[in-house]
């Protein structure tokens, strides 16, 4: 007997019929002898419906009021799920974020969890009840309702699992697990049986939307054993845990990609302006990813960096405003780019893998415009039109043909 | 300058367009120099929509979970209203029941307010903010969300007004005020400029659904000056306050009625069973209204009482189960009855008014099946088919022809 935390996403509780299936899964876990704490997202398109009401009122809602409004979605789904479990003869109780003791920063719409007061959850567990917690939300020191931003319910689940020292945290979703790449792009994509935290973190950050990076980071920091699995069947999913693999034959775990990348190039910049440029962009919330710096000549150089295309107008505005002070000559923009990356903890001891990646891309005639590397990934910026070709070729060469032992 | 509490019902905030109008009214009150606290119901049919989801799950939902679910309706409307006011350049903040300090009994779906901790409301008022409170809800000592039952938002508004010692409490609704009788039945019905608490209490209890009796009682106990008025125009409504009228020419303030009444007659009952009968029914939540007891013969008698027809099956079930113990001979049921009542605080010093009522009904050929009286009302139980005729005749004779000075 142990304590299991389960998390169900919005599509898993998208209708009363689906809530029924979810209730079955929860009851199955409970009757197998475990204590069960469930974290649930808002039903299907509830959040979108609420946001469409907001759009009729204002284009710039107060973030405090937005949290007040959006948090109702999870409160609804959690109470409906508790009713369903009760109706099936088991005892369940729903808790809002504040009732569950989820304490966050006073930062609306994107707050981080600071602490969890588990006393009330434990009280209900001690009464042999199934505890259903409204995900995505918490309360700040001023007793205002906060929300956790994208992937917030994943984070709630992992944080609750960590605080309760749960045996594991099952993330139920509408896919079977974590795949070597997106199956919608590459039909040969395989489900991974397991993946390390760091690899998952890279995959998540690089656009594999199955699990939010913040949740993975939390799981890594508190060593919470995660499993991503489907709420529609009973097949095992992908376990995410500390990487303990001794075998290094499987160097690359997955091919990740991210769309809507833009490269910004500043021509003839003084070296002294570099820190100012990136401080300026960071202050405006622009996330600069890959940076390439040309060789300086007389303390001036050309510098390129990649950003999300969503941040482009903000970036250009800021740079043009400060053109005099930053003292660069010209600015050049290239949009319609994509980032394609290979991820794998085995790469740290296999320096040849980056070379292999470039060879594969070169054979396909794909021009690599920018590169960045970490110990467990190599990212390339390429033309958006060549993304699918690149993903497929890299997946074939670095995963399928290596017959990695951790695949099914 | 003073503090005004305003309450807006579900139809007043039934759409974004209506919320816009409500925001205008609130801002008008604020810019006239008053502090404003607003209590708001759930938008239009939100509650019905939530209940239809519940019906797909269970016919007997846990009342705790029902409160958890239904309280989201007011949380939504309060945050949307706050956004609308913010959008118009004024500062507003929405508060849930628990944030507003509304402490209730631990009795779900029909809790009474025990106390209000006004510290947070005062904090926001001190910052010159408009405070929008989610009506109908509170929190119990176990930190569970409770709801206040029918007319709950009225009660929230009055309780908040009492706690804050507000100058007045305006109840905005979809009618112009309190009428001498229902204008949908009697076109000669007039809006009252003012009415006493006790009269309003009788009117409310007798089916005039404009204001919930619990809210009126609360207002009377704490001497909160109420005004019922339309959210769609700026005309004055009906003020409800302590009856200070010296003139007694206007004896009857209104004609109220209530449908779906059933008369239950128990034949040949021992006198000793009487208290058992009514205790039994009270325990089952059956509200017994008028009771008529025949003259006893050898300690046995016939007894009739009226109930809401909704309670009929429950009543018959209980009585039949206990027939042996209660030792009555037979039970007789007459449904399709209505209660028609005249209400007026002037009646206490005018004993002739009941006689006048019977004369009017007699002239119309209407048979009075049961009667009950209090100091400020006379109620008659008559056939449902004769209800409209009775209302019209009584309204003509006792209100229109008296040219009551408190009418417009």
């Amino acid at each position: 007997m142990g304590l299991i935390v389960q998390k169900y996403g919005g599509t898993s509780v998208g209708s009363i019929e689906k809530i029924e299936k979810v209730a079955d899964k929860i009851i199955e876990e409970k009757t197998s002898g475990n204590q069960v704490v469930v974290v649930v997202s808002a039903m299907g398109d509830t959040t979108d419906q609420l946001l469409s009401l907001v759009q009729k009122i204002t284009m710039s809602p107060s973030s405090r009021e937005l949290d007040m409004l959006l948090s109702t979605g999870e409160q609804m789904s959690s109470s409906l799920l508790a009713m369903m479990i009760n109706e099936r003869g088991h005892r369940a109780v729903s808790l809002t974020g504040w009732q569950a003791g989820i304490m966050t920063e006073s930062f609306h719409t994107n707050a981080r969890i600071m602490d969890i007061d588990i006393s009330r959850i434990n009280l209900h567990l001690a009464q042999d009840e199934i505890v259903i917690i409204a995900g995505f939300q918490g309360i700040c020191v001023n007793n205002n309702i906060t929300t956790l931003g994208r992937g917030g319910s994943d984070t709630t689940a992992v944080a609750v699992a960590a605080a309760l020292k749960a045996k594991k945290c099952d993330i139920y979703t509408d896919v079977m697990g974590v795949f070597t790449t997106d199956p919608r792009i590459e039909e040969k994509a395989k489900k991974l049986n397991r993946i390390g935290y760091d690899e998952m973190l890279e995959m998540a950050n690089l656009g594999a939307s199955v699990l939010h990076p913040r949740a993975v980071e939390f799981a890594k920091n508190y060593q919470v054993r995660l499993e991503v699995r489907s709420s529609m069947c009973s097949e095992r999913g992908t376990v995410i845990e500390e990487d303990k693999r001794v075998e290094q034959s499987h160097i690359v775990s997955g091919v990740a990609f991210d769309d809507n990348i833009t490269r910004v190039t500043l021509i003839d910049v003084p070296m002294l302006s570099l820190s100012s440029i990136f401080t300026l962009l960071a202050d405006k919330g622009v996330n600069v990813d890959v940076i390439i710096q040309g060789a300086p000549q007389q303390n001036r150089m050309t510098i390129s960096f990649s950003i999300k295309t969503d941040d482009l107008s903000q970036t250009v505005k800021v740079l043009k405003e400060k053109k005099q002070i930053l003292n660069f000559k010209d600015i050049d923009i290239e949009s319609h780019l994509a980032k394609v990356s290979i991820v794998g903890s085995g790469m740290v001891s296999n320096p040849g893998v980056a070379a292999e990646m470039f060879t594969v891309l070169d054979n396909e005639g794909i021009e690599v415009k920018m590169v960045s590397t970490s110990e467990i990934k190599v990212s390339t910026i390429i033309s958006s039109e060549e993304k699918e070709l690149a993903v497929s070729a890299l997946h074939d060469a670095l995963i399928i043909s290596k017959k990695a032992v951790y695949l099914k």
Side-chain angles (χ1 to χ4, degrees), chain A:
Chain A
M1 169 166 161
L3 170 62
I4 309 287
V5 173
Q6 299 184 336
K7 180 257 171 178
Y8 294 92
T11 50
S12 301
V13 293
S15 66
I16 297 296
E17 292 69 33
K18 287 185 172 179
I19 289 178
E20 208 168 343
K21 282 209 196 321
V22 164
D24 286 341
K25 275 208 181 291
I26 294 168
I27 291 167
E28 193 186 318
E29 190 76 76
K30 180 77 174 79
T31 49
S32 79
N34 289 312
Q35 292 184 306
V36 187
V37 174
V38 178
V39 173
V40 69
S41 299
M43 286 176 75
D45 52 1
T46 310
T47 305
D48 288 339
Q49 283 172 12
L50 293 174
L51 286 175
S52 77
L53 287 177
V54 172
Q55 279 163 13
K56 290 184 191 168
I57 294 175
T58 174
M59 295 318 285
S60 54
S62 136
S63 57
R64 181 197 180 277
E65 297 303 329
L66 207 52
D67 281 354
M68 188 80 166
L69 180 71
L70 295 184
S71 63
T72 61
E74 285 75 18
Q75 187 171 331
M76 277 185 226
S77 55
S78 60
S79 55
L80 290 170
L81 180 54
M83 286 180 200
M84 186 67 89
I85 294 171
N86 288 336
E87 177 67 9
R88 285 166 139 59
H90 292 263
R91 292 172 57 229
V93 63
S94 66
L95 299 177
T96 61
W98 62 267
Q99 287 175 330
I102 316 282
M103 322 289 286
T104 75
E105 303 169 320
S106 293
F107 189 82
H108 287 289
T109 73
N110 203 20
R112 277 182 305 191
I113 295 175
M114 307 293 280
D115 195 14
I116 300 185
D117 176 354
I118 56 173
S119 52
R120 177 142 191 199
I121 299 175
N122 277 333
L123 192 79
H124 290 290
L125 288 176
Q127 290 166 10
D128 202 30
E129 291 173 315
I130 296 165
V131 179
I132 315 285
I133 299 173
F136 175 68
Q137 60 182 262
I139 189 174
C140 75
V141 68
N142 299 319
N143 273 351
N144 284 321
I145 295 173
T146 50
T147 65
L148 311 181
R150 283 199 150 271
S153 292
D154 289 345
T155 311
T156 304
V158 175
V160 165
L164 294 172
K165 303 192 197 328
K167 200 161 74 177
K168 63 187 288 228
C169 177
D170 285 339
I171 308 284
Y172 285 94
T173 176
D174 53 351
V175 296
M176 302 294 295
V178 181
F179 281 70
T180 50
T181 193
D182 189 336
R184 288 168 298 186
I185 294 259
E186 172 54 55
E187 60 178 13
K188 283 178 254 175
K190 306 277 183 197
K191 190 183 77 186
L192 293 159
N193 288 335
R194 50 190 160 77
I195 187 171
Y197 292 122
D198 289 328
E199 290 172 299
M200 186 64 218
L201 209 47
E202 290 289 0
M203 294 287 271
N205 271 319
L206 294 170
S209 59
V210 67
L211 199 54
H212 197 270
R214 200 195 280 176
V216 180
E217 205 174 337
F218 215 113
K220 175 180 154 75
N221 289 343
Y222 292 91
Q223 295 287 304
V224 176
R225 191 162 173 263
L226 291 178
E227 183 171 342
V228 174
R229 53 196 300 195
S230 167
S231 60
M232 293 300 129
C233 68
S234 57
E235 213 178 307
R236 304 308 303 183
T238 303
V239 172
I240 303 152
E241 60 191 338
E242 202 58 68
D243 199 342
K244 295 170 193 146
R245 286 177 289 165
V246 283
E247 217 175 327
Q248 293 294 342
S249 68
H250 43 285
I251 298 162
V252 177
S253 298
V255 179
F257 54 85
D258 201 359
D259 281 308
N260 295 317
I261 306 291
T262 288
R263 178 172 66 173
V264 178
T265 303
L266 295 180
I267 296 159
D268 197 11
V269 199
M271 280 183 75
L272 284 170
S273 296
L274 280 193
S275 68
S276 307
I277 290 169
F278 295 113
T279 308
L280 206 59
L281 292 172
D283 286 350
K284 295 289 176 181
V286 174
N287 216 342
V288 170
D289 187 20
V290 185
I291 302 175
I292 291 180
Q293 177 183 331
Q297 288 186 322
Q298 294 168 328
N299 287 325
R300 294 180 77 87
M301 66 179 98
T302 288
I303 183 163
S304 293
F305 54 88
S306 70
I307 54 170
K308 296 289 282 180
T309 304
D310 292 346
D311 289 334
L312 179 57
S313 62
Q314 175 77 290
T315 302
V316 171
K317 184 165 169 268
V318 166
L319 292 175
K320 288 201 169 162
E321 275 170 12
K322 304 281 179 183
K323 194 179 174 191
Q324 292 272 312
I325 296 163
L326 297 174
N327 188 21
F328 61 88
K329 194 174 158 205
D330 211 351
I331 184 168
D332 182 65
I333 306 294
E334 184 176 8
S335 287
H336 304 295
L337 301 177
K339 179 161 71 165
V340 174
S341 312
I342 56 174
V343 176
S345 60
M347 286 163 60
V348 60
S349 53
N350 286 267
V353 72
E356 200 171 345
M357 182 184 192
F358 297 133
T359 305
V360 170
L361 294 175
D362 197 38
N363 287 344
E364 301 292 338
I366 297 168
E367 181 197 356
V368 174
K369 295 168 188 284
M370 297 174 91
V371 179
S372 83
T373 59
S374 80
E375 292 197 332
I376 62 165
K377 71 132 205 244
V378 182
S379 294
T380 58
I381 306 286
I382 61 172
S383 164
S384 206
E385 279 104 61
E386 296 173 320
K387 180 191 75 183
E388 299 195 14
L389 177 62
V391 168
S392 187
L394 291 169
H395 192 263
D396 267 359
L398 300 174
I399 296 180
I400 298 297
S401 64
K402 307 283 182 189
K403 294 192 180 62
V405 294
Y406 54 92
L407 293 176
K408 276 221 165 163

